[in-house]
Each structure stands twice: as C-alpha cells, then as structure tokens.
Amino acid sequence: MSPTELLLPAKVYLLACRGERVPDRQRVGYLVRAAALTELLLRGRVLDHDGIVGAVPGGSTGDAVLDEVLGQIVEGGPRKWRHWVRKEHRRTLDSVEDQLSDGRVIRVERSRFLGRRRVAVRDTAAVSRLRAMVDKALRGDGPVSRISREDAALVALVAAVELKGVATGRDRRRFRDRLQELEERGGAAVPALRKVFRELRQVRMAAAANSGGSG
C-alpha cells in the first residue's frame, strides 16, 4: 500500500489509528468527514461560495465514500461548511473503515462487548511514511508553495483536531504561521473542522465540570 494511492479520508483515518483502536470516534468522524469534503473540493466536485458549499454536477467520482458525501450535498443543497462537517460524520467514518477493510488495508474485529472495534493496520510502514510526510511538511523549512495541495490539506486537517502523536496543540501554537499557509492551500473545510472540534471540546469540558460538581 502506497500513501500516494490513498485519498484524504483514508489517510487521516490511518493517522488516527493508535494501537488496536481508533480513539475518540466522534472527533475522528469529524476529521474523516472534513477530509472527504476537502477531497471533493480539490477535485472540483464542490465549490466554496463565501463559506457555502455547493455541489458541481457530474458523474461518479470513482470512489464510494466520496460519492456518498457528494450525494448528500446534492440532495441537501448548498449549506455552510460547518453543517457538512457535522452531517452524517459517523456514517462517513464507518464507510471509510469498511472501505479500508474491504481493501485489506486494515483488519477490523467487532467485539461483542459494547460493540467495540479492534483495528489492525496491515501495513504499518505506510502509516509511518504518512507520519513522516506530515512531520516534514509541518516542521520543515521549505516553502509551503512547494507542498502539494493534498499534502497541505492533510497536515492542516490533522492539526485542526490536534491529532495525538501527529500534530498536537503545542505544534499548532509553535507553527502557527506555517499552519496558516498550509490551511490556505488546503481548503475551506479546515476552519469549519477546527470550529466543530472546539465546540466538541467545550461541550466535553462543561460536562466534565458539571459531573465533578454534582458529586
């Protein structure tokens, strides 16, 4: 498996895998969803009109996950990026996972206990290459203009959710200016993803505070 053969949703999913699981499936669901929207944007199958996502008429994208997301946009009509990042994120995550499993990129075992899933990446070297690419794009000193839009988008997406072991909150602060450049190359879904992630974190912090105070 070569990283160049994978689309953005698959790449961010593999980067999110840790051990034998995908921790925080809600956050990863948003990440995968934003990656699919970004892939569609880079392919010219959706357009950004002042923060509104609109579908571009055409046939199949050649990818089942992208077709699924694009079909939802066609049916739902133009909406803000934030809406489409949140919409059906669990379904998109499951679709990417099934696609990678069918392609023998990962192996998924579903436990009877609480329906948990164990995920094993078959080609760990490919994931290491993805991590190395992200590291070079984020921490390197080469001009961002020489980084492909796909790679720039990948880095900006994982940084937006502070993906552990890949792009942390500390990285976001340290490389703020470079990430801004990468984000500008990566597309309009990234700011929406970052906003959704912040909202999720705030909700969880409030819930944790309320839980602690109730005791």
Side-chain angles (χ1 to χ4, degrees):
M1 176 185 66
S2 168
T4 59
E5 298 172 353
L6 299 171
L7 301 185
L8 280 173
K11 289 180 179 179
V12 299
Y13 176 92
L14 291 173
L15 287 171
C17 289
R18 296 185 64 82
E20 293 188 337
R21 64 193 183 96
V22 176
D24 196 345
R25 292 184 69 85
Q26 184 174 10
R27 175 168 57 167
V28 177
Y30 291 144
L31 173 60
V32 166
R33 182 77 182 186
L37 291 167
T38 300
E39 186 77 48
L40 289 169
L41 179 68
L42 295 179
R43 288 171 172 234
R45 297 309 305 271
V46 300
L47 296 177
D48 173 45
H49 301 283
D50 296 326
I52 304 297
V53 185
V56 176
S60 171
T61 65
D63 180 82
V65 173
L66 296 185
D67 283 347
E68 182 178 86
V69 176
L70 182 60
Q72 292 164 2
I73 298 173
V74 170
E75 182 177 352
R79 299 286 188 91
K80 291 183 178 181
W81 285 99
R82 178 175 172 274
H83 169 85
W84 289 119
V85 168
R86 296 176 64 92
K87 181 75 172 178
E88 299 283 4
H89 65 277
R90 292 183 178 85
R91 176 178 171 183
T92 303
L93 174 58
D94 289 344
S95 295
V96 170
E97 200 165 61
D98 290 342
Q99 184 184 63
L100 289 172
S101 179
D102 291 344
R104 298 184 62 79
V105 178
I106 63 173
R107 183 176 67 252
V108 180
E109 297 178 0
R110 291 171 176 79
S111 171
R112 294 180 181 179
F113 180 66
L114 299 179
R116 291 179 178 174
R117 301 184 180 195
R118 296 177 58 188
V119 178
V121 178
R122 294 178 181 271
D123 188 352
T124 56
V127 179
S128 295
R129 290 193 292 272
L130 278 175
R131 289 178 180 272
M133 186 280 296
V134 171
D135 186 74
K136 181 179 180 181
L138 178 60
R139 300 172 179 83
D141 55 6
V144 170
S145 59
R146 294 185 180 178
I147 299 174
S148 70
R149 291 188 68 194
E150 291 78 6
D151 288 350
L154 177 63
V155 178
L157 286 164
V158 296
V161 298
E162 300 178 7
L163 194 62
K164 188 174 182 180
V166 183
T168 63
R170 178 179 295 180
D171 290 330
R172 280 182 53 177
R173 293 186 293 272
R174 180 180 177 186
F175 303 104
R176 180 183 304 173
D177 292 342
R178 189 170 180 85
L179 276 171
Q180 180 63 39
E181 292 184 66
L182 290 165
E183 183 177 306
E184 290 173 358
R185 282 185 65 77
V190 179
L193 172 62
R194 187 170 58 249
K195 182 179 292 186
V196 169
F197 171 61
R198 287 175 178 170
E199 292 171 351
L200 173 63
R201 186 166 54 186
Q202 289 169 358
V203 168
R204 289 177 173 176
M205 290 175 63
N210 291 335
S211 177
S214 63

